[in-house]
Amino acid sequence: MDHRDGGESTTTPTEEGILMGTQHRRSALLLTASVATIAALTACSGGSSGTVDDSFGFAIAEQEPDSPITVWVDASREPIAQAFEEDHPDIPIEIETYDGNAGGSDSFRTKIALFDQSGEGWPDVVFSTQTNDTSWAAQELNGAQPFAAPLNKGYFDQEFLDGFTTGALDPMTVDGTVYGLRNDLAPVVLWYDESLLNEFGYEVPETWEDYLALSDRLAAEHPGYILGTVGEAFTATYINYWGAAAPIFQLDGNTFSSDFSDENSQRMTELIDHMLDNGTLVQDSVFGAEFVTKYADKIVAMPGPVWFSGALFQNPDSLNTAAGRIGAANPLHWEGGEEVTGNVGGGVWYASSHSKNLDAVETFLEYAISSDRAVELASGLPAYDSAADQWLATQSESGYYVGDFAESVSTAASSVWSGWGFPSFSIEVSYANVVVPGLAAGKSLADLTAEWQEEMENQAQVQGYTVE
């Protein structure tokens, strides 16, 4: 399935555990006081669980080479964790599934905050579907050192880190320090059904203007066929507004801003409302059974992330589109404007700075990101260059896609608009709270943008950002 699948975590700190942790910390404080002078001489900075390892750049816990590593994954990443368990029987691993922080649920942060309070229980590795978790995971919380371990200060080989696609690690980099490893890239392309385009006599749209014009022809000539959906919180946001270079979710230092009056923002709002009115954009969830039932053979074209390939089109439980029909075209852009696109996710792996088996964590993460099994199990474009090359070659040679799949995906991967922000909260929450119910109630998107913007600004202020 996709980045948004998942089950409940089986590990949640209990009040008892927190109390025990608090008592433990009180005892530890007494011990710490007795050795404070020695600690000051041996450590440059404090950590909750160990001493600073100058070669790694953070305080490490006492290492236990045989200790199992606990790995949190969403349902989609569970297979790669299970594959690691099979291929590395010498490294004990405990796999736990959770929601993957999907939809901006904040479950990752909430659970880590509880472990910080208890002073114990952190997982060794966490996968998150969100690319903005570094904003808090790289910060000290509740007196505990940052959960995310710095990775480019000696912990991981620089040669391995240099293997990522250029820019892939940027969202996880703070002041030159890398705190997370990108699992996959999720640039938006234009998916199209060549058989329907040929049958109806349409060309593949190249610009947002072409897309809008096609919607009027399609609505008039073939009602019931569609060009996409805005029913998911990630669709209109990351696909439409981000892909339109609309500055509705920006971060400059500690200042958050959202501008729906910008020309690109206004044009995208008008485009979405127009296509909702003519029926070529729908409000169904792409992951819902009803969407599959109603539209499996009626999607003429649809902008979407690369991972739609495995999550929707080739998924027997979803659209399950036959080979030789679907192609990926270059991303839509404004006519005469910058040729950019949006991005939907691209999960991130984090190594815990509290881990007692950092060697095993490193082995796991390198396997999950760059191994042949990682390529085999990837549903989208891997963020690691060598894995991406293998995946693109495999997809192109499969005979499933029409057109130049590899070229379009590569173009999209290098065209993601850099103006989108990565604050510590997700735009998906405000969209789900304001826009989804508003549209369902019959309001236009233009009717809702002021309230949507206010919701985002309130979230920004709660998170401590200055709102411009």
mmCIF file of all heavy atoms in Angstrom, residues 182-208:
data_model
loop_
_atom_site.group_PDB
_atom_site.id
_atom_site.type_symbol
_atom_site.label_atom_id
_atom_site.label_comp_id
_atom_site.label_asym_id
_atom_site.label_seq_id
_atom_site.Cartn_x
_atom_site.Cartn_y
_atom_site.Cartn_z
ATOM 1 N N ARG A 182 16.486 9.878 3.996
ATOM 2 C CA ARG A 182 15.299 9.817 3.136
ATOM 3 C C ARG A 182 15.143 8.416 2.560
ATOM 4 O O ARG A 182 16.092 7.850 2.009
ATOM 5 C CB ARG A 182 15.455 10.834 2.011
ATOM 6 C CG ARG A 182 14.198 11.174 1.243
ATOM 7 C CD ARG A 182 13.287 12.114 2.043
ATOM 8 N NE ARG A 182 12.189 12.628 1.218
ATOM 9 C CZ ARG A 182 12.260 13.738 0.512
ATOM 10 N NH1 ARG A 182 13.379 14.441 0.531
ATOM 11 N NH2 ARG A 182 11.228 14.144 -0.191
ATOM 12 N N ASN A 183 13.948 7.870 2.672
ATOM 13 C CA ASN A 183 13.681 6.547 2.113
ATOM 14 C C ASN A 183 13.407 6.614 0.620
ATOM 15 O O ASN A 183 13.943 5.837 -0.161
ATOM 16 C CB ASN A 183 12.465 5.943 2.816
ATOM 17 C CG ASN A 183 12.100 4.575 2.291
ATOM 18 O OD1 ASN A 183 12.774 3.601 2.580
ATOM 19 N ND2 ASN A 183 11.033 4.491 1.491
ATOM 20 N N ASP A 184 12.556 7.559 0.235
ATOM 21 C CA ASP A 184 12.168 7.658 -1.165
ATOM 22 C C ASP A 184 11.839 9.092 -1.522
ATOM 23 O O ASP A 184 11.577 9.931 -0.657
ATOM 24 C CB ASP A 184 10.964 6.764 -1.447
ATOM 25 C CG ASP A 184 9.760 7.120 -0.611
ATOM 26 O OD1 ASP A 184 9.867 7.057 0.629
ATOM 27 O OD2 ASP A 184 8.722 7.479 -1.182
ATOM 28 N N LEU A 185 11.888 9.357 -2.792
ATOM 29 C CA LEU A 185 11.484 10.666 -3.292
ATOM 30 C C LEU A 185 10.054 10.537 -3.823
ATOM 31 O O LEU A 185 9.667 9.478 -4.316
ATOM 32 C CB LEU A 185 12.415 11.127 -4.405
ATOM 33 C CG LEU A 185 13.899 11.219 -4.017
ATOM 34 C CD1 LEU A 185 14.728 11.619 -5.227
ATOM 35 C CD2 LEU A 185 14.114 12.205 -2.881
ATOM 36 N N ALA A 186 9.303 11.608 -3.711
ATOM 37 C CA ALA A 186 7.890 11.523 -4.076
ATOM 38 C C ALA A 186 7.466 12.708 -4.927
ATOM 39 O O ALA A 186 6.455 13.361 -4.651
ATOM 40 C CB ALA A 186 7.040 11.429 -2.816
ATOM 41 N N PRO A 187 8.231 13.009 -5.978
ATOM 42 C CA PRO A 187 7.829 14.133 -6.827
ATOM 43 C C PRO A 187 6.535 13.811 -7.560
ATOM 44 O O PRO A 187 6.206 12.649 -7.810
ATOM 45 C CB PRO A 187 9.004 14.259 -7.805
ATOM 46 C CG PRO A 187 9.540 12.873 -7.923
ATOM 47 C CD PRO A 187 9.411 12.304 -6.523
ATOM 48 N N VAL A 188 5.831 14.858 -7.904
ATOM 49 C CA VAL A 188 4.548 14.708 -8.595
ATOM 50 C C VAL A 188 4.768 14.712 -10.111
ATOM 51 O O VAL A 188 5.453 15.582 -10.647
ATOM 52 C CB VAL A 188 3.594 15.850 -8.196
ATOM 53 C CG1 VAL A 188 2.331 15.837 -9.059
ATOM 54 C CG2 VAL A 188 3.233 15.743 -6.720
ATOM 55 N N VAL A 189 4.198 13.734 -10.768
ATOM 56 C CA VAL A 189 4.184 13.657 -12.230
ATOM 57 C C VAL A 189 2.725 13.738 -12.680
ATOM 58 O O VAL A 189 1.809 13.798 -11.852
ATOM 59 C CB VAL A 189 4.803 12.333 -12.745
ATOM 60 C CG1 VAL A 189 6.277 12.245 -12.363
ATOM 61 C CG2 VAL A 189 4.045 11.119 -12.210
ATOM 62 N N LEU A 190 2.506 13.730 -13.975
ATOM 63 C CA LEU A 190 1.126 13.635 -14.483
ATOM 64 C C LEU A 190 0.901 12.222 -14.990
ATOM 65 O O LEU A 190 1.467 11.809 -16.010
ATOM 66 C CB LEU A 190 0.876 14.626 -15.618
ATOM 67 C CG LEU A 190 -0.561 14.531 -16.174
ATOM 68 C CD1 LEU A 190 -1.562 15.069 -15.148
ATOM 69 C CD2 LEU A 190 -0.701 15.254 -17.495
ATOM 70 N N TRP A 191 0.101 11.463 -14.269
ATOM 71 C CA TRP A 191 -0.269 10.121 -14.715
ATOM 72 C C TRP A 191 -1.361 10.243 -15.780
ATOM 73 O O TRP A 191 -2.252 11.078 -15.659
ATOM 74 C CB TRP A 191 -0.782 9.289 -13.537
ATOM 75 C CG TRP A 191 0.257 9.040 -12.493
ATOM 76 C CD1 TRP A 191 0.407 9.689 -11.298
ATOM 77 C CD2 TRP A 191 1.322 8.083 -12.555
ATOM 78 N NE1 TRP A 191 1.488 9.195 -10.619
ATOM 79 C CE2 TRP A 191 2.068 8.209 -11.364
ATOM 80 C CE3 TRP A 191 1.710 7.141 -13.501
ATOM 81 C CZ2 TRP A 191 3.184 7.427 -11.087
ATOM 82 C CZ3 TRP A 191 2.830 6.349 -13.234
ATOM 83 C CH2 TRP A 191 3.537 6.501 -12.048
ATOM 84 N N TYR A 192 -1.305 9.438 -16.806
ATOM 85 C CA TYR A 192 -2.336 9.490 -17.847
ATOM 86 C C TYR A 192 -2.634 8.091 -18.359
ATOM 87 O O TYR A 192 -1.782 7.193 -18.323
ATOM 88 C CB TYR A 192 -1.904 10.403 -19.004
ATOM 89 C CG TYR A 192 -0.671 9.937 -19.753
ATOM 90 C CD1 TYR A 192 -0.778 9.115 -20.884
ATOM 91 C CD2 TYR A 192 0.604 10.319 -19.336
ATOM 92 C CE1 TYR A 192 0.343 8.688 -21.574
ATOM 93 C CE2 TYR A 192 1.736 9.894 -20.024
ATOM 94 C CZ TYR A 192 1.601 9.083 -21.136
ATOM 95 O OH TYR A 192 2.722 8.646 -21.803
ATOM 96 N N ASP A 193 -3.868 7.933 -18.835
ATOM 97 C CA ASP A 193 -4.304 6.672 -19.423
ATOM 98 C C ASP A 193 -4.272 6.851 -20.940
ATOM 99 O O ASP A 193 -5.154 7.503 -21.519
ATOM 100 C CB ASP A 193 -5.723 6.337 -18.940
ATOM 101 C CG ASP A 193 -6.173 4.946 -19.383
ATOM 102 O OD1 ASP A 193 -5.834 4.553 -20.531
ATOM 103 O OD2 ASP A 193 -6.850 4.259 -18.607
ATOM 104 N N GLU A 194 -3.271 6.284 -21.585
ATOM 105 C CA GLU A 194 -3.083 6.498 -23.019
ATOM 106 C C GLU A 194 -4.257 5.959 -23.820
ATOM 107 O O GLU A 194 -4.662 6.554 -24.833
ATOM 108 C CB GLU A 194 -1.787 5.838 -23.489
ATOM 109 C CG GLU A 194 -1.448 6.144 -24.941
ATOM 110 C CD GLU A 194 -0.119 5.550 -25.351
ATOM 111 O OE1 GLU A 194 -0.004 4.290 -25.332
ATOM 112 O OE2 GLU A 194 0.811 6.313 -25.661
ATOM 113 N N SER A 195 -4.822 4.857 -23.387
ATOM 114 C CA SER A 195 -5.925 4.272 -24.153
ATOM 115 C C SER A 195 -7.135 5.203 -24.156
ATOM 116 O O SER A 195 -7.808 5.353 -25.178
ATOM 117 C CB SER A 195 -6.297 2.898 -23.592
ATOM 118 O OG SER A 195 -6.701 3.006 -22.243
ATOM 119 N N LEU A 196 -7.432 5.841 -23.020
ATOM 120 C CA LEU A 196 -8.557 6.769 -22.973
ATOM 121 C C LEU A 196 -8.266 8.042 -23.751
ATOM 122 O O LEU A 196 -9.138 8.565 -24.452
ATOM 123 C CB LEU A 196 -8.901 7.106 -21.512
ATOM 124 C CG LEU A 196 -9.558 5.983 -20.699
ATOM 125 C CD1 LEU A 196 -9.788 6.434 -19.264
ATOM 126 C CD2 LEU A 196 -10.878 5.555 -21.342
ATOM 127 N N LEU A 197 -7.034 8.552 -23.631
ATOM 128 C CA LEU A 197 -6.679 9.755 -24.389
ATOM 129 C C LEU A 197 -6.821 9.500 -25.891
ATOM 130 O O LEU A 197 -7.367 10.334 -26.631
ATOM 131 C CB LEU A 197 -5.245 10.184 -24.054
ATOM 132 C CG LEU A 197 -5.028 10.817 -22.670
ATOM 133 C CD1 LEU A 197 -3.534 11.011 -22.401
ATOM 134 C CD2 LEU A 197 -5.752 12.152 -22.555
ATOM 135 N N ASN A 198 -6.344 8.343 -26.344
ATOM 136 C CA ASN A 198 -6.455 8.017 -27.769
ATOM 137 C C ASN A 198 -7.910 7.837 -28.189
ATOM 138 O O ASN A 198 -8.330 8.298 -29.255
ATOM 139 C CB ASN A 198 -5.655 6.742 -28.082
ATOM 140 C CG ASN A 198 -4.152 6.956 -27.982
ATOM 141 O OD1 ASN A 198 -3.678 8.101 -28.055
ATOM 142 N ND2 ASN A 198 -3.397 5.886 -27.819
ATOM 143 N N GLU A 199 -8.655 7.155 -27.351
ATOM 144 C CA GLU A 199 -10.077 6.923 -27.675
ATOM 145 C C GLU A 199 -10.842 8.239 -27.794
ATOM 146 O O GLU A 199 -11.690 8.390 -28.682
ATOM 147 C CB GLU A 199 -10.702 6.052 -26.575
ATOM 148 C CG GLU A 199 -12.185 5.774 -26.778
ATOM 149 C CD GLU A 199 -12.773 4.959 -25.628
ATOM 150 O OE1 GLU A 199 -11.995 4.408 -24.818
ATOM 151 O OE2 GLU A 199 -14.015 4.911 -25.535
ATOM 152 N N PHE A 200 -10.540 9.195 -26.914
ATOM 153 C CA PHE A 200 -11.274 10.463 -26.904
ATOM 154 C C PHE A 200 -10.636 11.511 -27.823
ATOM 155 O O PHE A 200 -11.209 12.584 -28.026
ATOM 156 C CB PHE A 200 -11.340 11.025 -25.485
ATOM 157 C CG PHE A 200 -12.079 10.148 -24.494
ATOM 158 C CD1 PHE A 200 -11.880 10.277 -23.131
ATOM 159 C CD2 PHE A 200 -12.995 9.192 -24.944
ATOM 160 C CE1 PHE A 200 -12.568 9.477 -22.222
ATOM 161 C CE2 PHE A 200 -13.683 8.382 -24.046
ATOM 162 C CZ PHE A 200 -13.461 8.522 -22.681
ATOM 163 N N GLY A 201 -9.430 11.233 -28.331
ATOM 164 C CA GLY A 201 -8.767 12.182 -29.207
ATOM 165 C C GLY A 201 -8.143 13.358 -28.482
ATOM 166 O O GLY A 201 -8.061 14.465 -29.027
ATOM 167 N N TYR A 202 -7.662 13.138 -27.268
ATOM 168 C CA TYR A 202 -7.053 14.199 -26.472
ATOM 169 C C TYR A 202 -5.534 14.039 -26.451
ATOM 170 O O TYR A 202 -5.002 12.930 -26.566
ATOM 171 C CB TYR A 202 -7.558 14.172 -25.027
ATOM 172 C CG TYR A 202 -9.045 14.357 -24.863
ATOM 173 C CD1 TYR A 202 -9.712 13.796 -23.769
ATOM 174 C CD2 TYR A 202 -9.781 15.102 -25.782
ATOM 175 C CE1 TYR A 202 -11.071 13.966 -23.592
ATOM 176 C CE2 TYR A 202 -11.154 15.281 -25.612
ATOM 177 C CZ TYR A 202 -11.792 14.704 -24.515
ATOM 178 O OH TYR A 202 -13.139 14.866 -24.348
ATOM 179 N N GLU A 203 -4.840 15.170 -26.242
ATOM 180 C CA GLU A 203 -3.397 15.163 -26.054
ATOM 181 C C GLU A 203 -3.088 15.186 -24.560
ATOM 182 O O GLU A 203 -3.892 15.647 -23.737
ATOM 183 C CB GLU A 203 -2.764 16.394 -26.724
ATOM 184 C CG GLU A 203 -2.984 16.477 -28.236
ATOM 185 C CD GLU A 203 -2.216 15.388 -28.979
ATOM 186 O OE1 GLU A 203 -1.144 14.988 -28.485
ATOM 187 O OE2 GLU A 203 -2.704 14.941 -30.038
ATOM 188 N N VAL A 204 -1.914 14.713 -24.208
ATOM 189 C CA VAL A 204 -1.484 14.793 -22.815
ATOM 190 C C VAL A 204 -1.261 16.266 -22.467
ATOM 191 O O VAL A 204 -0.499 16.954 -23.148
ATOM 192 C CB VAL A 204 -0.161 14.020 -22.594
ATOM 193 C CG1 VAL A 204 0.315 14.190 -21.138
ATOM 194 C CG2 VAL A 204 -0.342 12.551 -22.932
ATOM 195 N N PRO A 205 -1.937 16.799 -21.452
ATOM 196 C CA PRO A 205 -1.729 18.208 -21.103
ATOM 197 C C PRO A 205 -0.306 18.438 -20.566
ATOM 198 O O PRO A 205 0.260 17.567 -19.906
ATOM 199 C CB PRO A 205 -2.776 18.456 -20.013
ATOM 200 C CG PRO A 205 -3.079 17.107 -19.447
ATOM 201 C CD PRO A 205 -2.924 16.145 -20.578
ATOM 202 N N GLU A 206 0.242 19.607 -20.897
ATOM 203 C CA GLU A 206 1.598 19.934 -20.440
ATOM 204 C C GLU A 206 1.605 21.023 -19.382
ATOM 205 O O GLU A 206 2.566 21.148 -18.632
ATOM 206 C CB GLU A 206 2.452 20.369 -21.643
ATOM 207 C CG GLU A 206 2.631 19.278 -22.692
ATOM 208 C CD GLU A 206 3.496 19.744 -23.850
ATOM 209 O OE1 GLU A 206 3.915 20.927 -23.866
ATOM 210 O OE2 GLU A 206 3.735 18.919 -24.752
ATOM 211 N N THR A 207 0.563 21.855 -19.384
ATOM 212 C CA THR A 207 0.512 22.966 -18.422
ATOM 213 C C THR A 207 -0.779 22.893 -17.615
ATOM 214 O O THR A 207 -1.726 22.172 -17.974
ATOM 215 C CB THR A 207 0.559 24.320 -19.154
ATOM 216 O OG1 THR A 207 -0.636 24.456 -19.952
ATOM 217 C CG2 THR A 207 1.789 24.410 -20.074
ATOM 218 N N TRP A 208 -0.823 23.676 -16.530
ATOM 219 C CA TRP A 208 -2.064 23.751 -15.753
ATOM 220 C C TRP A 208 -3.186 24.317 -16.623
ATOM 221 O O TRP A 208 -4.352 23.935 -16.482
ATOM 222 C CB TRP A 208 -1.850 24.623 -14.508
ATOM 223 C CG TRP A 208 -0.993 24.003 -13.450
ATOM 224 C CD1 TRP A 208 0.247 24.415 -13.034
ATOM 225 C CD2 TRP A 208 -1.312 22.857 -12.639
ATOM 226 N NE1 TRP A 208 0.716 23.596 -12.030
ATOM 227 C CE2 TRP A 208 -0.215 22.644 -11.761
ATOM 228 C CE3 TRP A 208 -2.403 21.995 -12.573
ATOM 229 C CZ2 TRP A 208 -0.193 21.598 -10.840
ATOM 230 C CZ3 TRP A 208 -2.385 20.946 -11.635
ATOM 231 C CH2 TRP A 208 -1.295 20.758 -10.796
#
